Amino acid sequence: MSKPATINPRIVEALYCEALVLSDEVRAAFTLSGRIDGDPGRVALSSEGLRTTTRMMHAIAWVLNHRAYFIGEISDLQLRRQGRLSPAMRQSDPAHALLLEPATARLVEATRVFYDRLLRLDQFWRLTTPAAFGAIEQLRERIEGEVATGT
């Protein structure tokens, strides 16, 4: 696997554009929720719609925080505190994907792949960018790491 790129304004702008396009596709796909008959299909569509929409809103918030940082609206410390991504947000229910239309299932997967890219960028940035963390911040990092790995 190649080394992730350093986060910079050009990458953030490209991610922002990609996030907006994906979010618009998600909105279009899941606003037509009455098109699947049967309770399991509706539950799957509603559940994955909520998960996918939430995933993209978190992704956009992450990108917007980085945009704000690069134009000087927030500090490095504020970005570190507010600009976190939850590893749990990338999960979907595989059983629900089987009940979705193929195009919708591919869109859900595309949002997961996008979110995973953001997670890798964020993790690399946090490891390579020096910051003075206090005891509370270090504890928060450790807890989030344990939650993400399930330990």
Side-chain angles (χ1 to χ4, degrees):
M1 186 163 115
S2 63
K3 182 175 135 184
T6 303
I7 299 174
N8 63 51
R10 283 190 349 208
I11 289 174
V12 169
E13 285 305 313
L15 290 169
Y16 178 67
C17 291
E18 189 175 349
L20 289 179
V21 168
L22 270 173
S23 294
D24 194 45
E25 290 174 4
V26 166
R27 182 198 51 77
F30 290 105
T31 54
L32 303 174
S33 61
R35 65 179 190 258
I36 292 182
D37 292 329
D39 288 344
R42 279 192 203 153
V43 169
L45 188 66
S46 295
S47 178
E48 286 309 310
L50 182 58
R51 277 191 184 108
T52 304
T53 302
T54 303
R55 181 182 307 120
M56 288 310 301
M57 292 304 101
H58 281 260
I60 287 175
W62 184 90
V63 172
L64 288 174
N65 277 322
H66 280 78
R67 285 179 89 201
Y69 169 73
F70 282 120
I71 61 173
E73 289 182 351
I74 64 173
S75 69
D76 183 68
L77 181 61
Q78 289 170 313
L79 178 60
R80 287 183 179 284
R81 286 187 176 163
Q82 306 302 322
R84 296 182 177 277
L85 288 174
S86 169
M89 214 37 71
R90 64 182 176 210
Q91 298 172 6
S92 286
D93 186 341
H96 285 173
L98 298 173
L99 298 172
L100 298 176
E101 293 177 358
T104 304
R106 285 190 300 274
L107 179 60
V108 169
E109 182 60 21
T111 67
R112 286 176 79 275
V113 168
F114 180 75
Y115 195 86
D116 283 343
R117 282 177 36 219
L118 294 184
L119 275 172
R120 285 191 306 273
L121 274 171
D122 188 60
Q123 289 168 351
F124 181 74
W125 172 73
R126 288 181 187 283
L127 290 174
T128 59
T129 307
F133 288 113
I136 293 174
E137 194 65 26
Q138 289 175 356
L139 179 60
R140 181 178 177 185
E141 289 281 328
R142 194 178 93 219
I143 290 170
E144 287 179 354
E146 290 173 2
V147 168
T149 60
T151 56

